[in-house]
Amino acid sequence: LTMRSVIDEAYRAPDRSASAVTQAMARGALMGARGNSGVILSQIWRGLAQSLADKESFTGSDLADALLQGSTMAYKGLSHPVEGTILTVIKDVAAAAQAQVASGSSDLISVMEAMVTAANESVANTPSLLPVLREAGVVDAGGQGLYTILEGAFHYLKGEVEQIQL
């Protein structure tokens, strides 16, 4: 539900610049946030939007910096952050993006690929960080949702778009 609000608002952005679209997405996430993970996701989008302010477009390096800002914003938005949640996943994703850029391979595709790989590994690790998840035999749903968002964006960026009939 949070991402539905994000996408709806993105379509209403005044132009297609990175700045305008991410500002709209952050606004949509805030207004449509549902549950703890939705609120955290809204903080992630807020950090991304702040980092990409005044940018027409962005590079892999810009994205890595924006993710770091999004992760920082999400952690600061909580009085008691808990590891093993969407917070850990965004932190790991941001670190992977930063490492990819530092390796000298900072094109958007390679940065996104590193992000998706890190998100997948981080989600799989959430039960080892949070006993309630381990006891239930599940991964963090918010972290899994973030992974799904990133994976979908990665496939879209590569032109791997499946047409869905509604």
Side-chain angles (χ1 to χ4, degrees), residues 2 33-40:
T2 302
R34 300 291 185 271
N36 291 339
S37 292
V39 171
I40 294 168

Side-chain angles (χ1 to χ4, degrees), residues 112 150-161:
M112 283 292 298
L150 295 174
E151 183 184 40
F154 179 54
H155 286 295
Y156 183 83
L157 185 62
K158 292 191 318 180
E160 300 170 354
V161 181

